[in-house]
Amino acid sequence: MKSTCVLLLVLLFVSVSAVRNMPAQTARTDVYHVHFAKAALGKGVEEGDYLKKQGPDAPMPGHYIVLRHQSGEDWDYAVIDHLGTKATIDAAGNPPPANARDLNAWHGDTFVNGPAWPPFAKAMGLDDTAKSAGAVYVVSVFRAAPGHRDQLEKAVSQPPGPGETVAGAVLMQHLEGGPWQFLTITRYNSWQDFATNQKASAAETLKPGGGWLQVRDHSSYHNDTITDRIAP
């Protein structure tokens, strides 16, 4: 019970941080595919190895990131692929190879819009993967309460507060797929920076106008997942 309470407190502070750590908005000109995947029982390693390899028909080779669950939602991996300014779907679909069909218990797919690849890559530390090898990422999704979509977008777009240690962040908006409107990914250079940020943001939790209260004033649902990067 004690460990469960500690985890809930950590995720509460993560929620505050995810709201406060967004940069000034950039134009959402490009399309991305967000894939949340849960590995089949006993197949966690194999599923991760499969997802680390971008498909041979990827429209933007090398433009992707694979994140691995540490704490939070039930999925094991998040794969975000850059598709360019447009995306199409063929009736033939994209069936996995025979040796990968039994690796996945379930998955969810959502198309979102977001910034062009250069600012996305910089925010996620993909412009120099060697320097960001120890990065920590918080993946958050938000569903607005009826009539509160604009207010929620403003809330999740707030810049970092004093003392917060954010290396980069992006805000993406649902186009088709999952039952949420906004997705944020916030990067910290290390677990130490992540912990420092949580300590700084916790003090702001219940202050009037704080990020924690804004999310609860304008969203009907959200979740946060702490991850590390396994590719590229």
Side-chain angles (χ1 to χ4, degrees):
M1 178 64 73
K2 182 177 180 181
S3 62
T4 301
C5 292
V6 170
L7 176 58
L8 288 173
L9 286 171
V10 169
L11 292 178
L12 171 64
F13 295 156
V14 168
S15 170
V16 179
S17 178
V19 172
R20 293 173 56 84
N21 291 340
M22 295 307 301
Q25 284 198 57
T26 56
R28 293 192 289 261
T29 58
D30 287 33
V31 179
Y32 293 78
H33 174 223
V34 178
H35 178 78
F36 292 132
K38 176 74 172 182
L41 189 63
K43 299 296 183 179
V45 173
E46 292 91 338
E47 173 80 336
D49 288 342
Y50 170 68
L51 293 174
K52 283 192 292 186
K53 300 173 184 176
Q54 195 178 29
D57 298 326
M60 296 289 176
H63 288 196
Y64 75 112
I65 184 171
V66 184
L67 303 172
R68 175 176 53 194
H69 169 282
Q70 292 294 335
S71 295
E73 269 296 281
D74 190 45
W75 49 263
D76 294 318
Y77 299 99
V79 184
I80 296 96
D81 274 289
H82 178 222
L83 304 180
T85 57
K86 293 183 179 180
T88 59
I89 299 175
D90 281 333
N94 185 28
N99 63 350
R101 289 176 183 171
D102 296 329
L103 301 181
N104 186 262
W106 61 260
H107 72 274
D109 298 288
T110 303
F111 291 92
V112 300
N113 60 25
W117 178 254
F120 178 91
K122 182 176 181 180
M124 297 295 96
L126 305 180
D127 54 338
D128 191 338
T129 54
K131 288 185 178 179
S132 62
V136 178
Y137 300 78
V138 178
V139 180
S140 303
V141 299
F142 303 85
R143 183 165 63 237
H148 288 250
R149 184 164 178 160
D150 291 343
Q151 297 95 319
L152 179 61
E153 181 174 6
K154 182 178 179 180
V156 298
S157 302
Q158 296 301 309
E164 295 183 350
T165 53
V166 177
V170 293
L171 169 64
M172 312 179 93
Q173 179 178 255
H174 169 280
L175 293 174
E176 297 289 346
W180 41 264
Q181 281 100 21
F182 300 106
L183 177 143
T184 65
I185 310 173
T186 306
R187 175 173 65 94
Y188 305 89
N189 281 328
S190 65
W191 285 100
Q192 183 175 352
D193 278 1
F194 172 72
T196 298
N197 188 83
Q198 300 316 298
K199 183 177 180 180
S201 64
E204 305 293 319
T205 300
L206 295 179
K207 288 185 178 180
W212 189 92
L213 289 174
Q214 286 188 49
V215 168
R216 279 143 189 84
D217 284 345
H218 302 303
S219 68
S220 60
Y221 168 83
H222 90 277
N223 64 59
D224 310 285
T225 305
I226 305 167
T227 71
D228 61 349
R229 189 181 81 232
I230 61 171

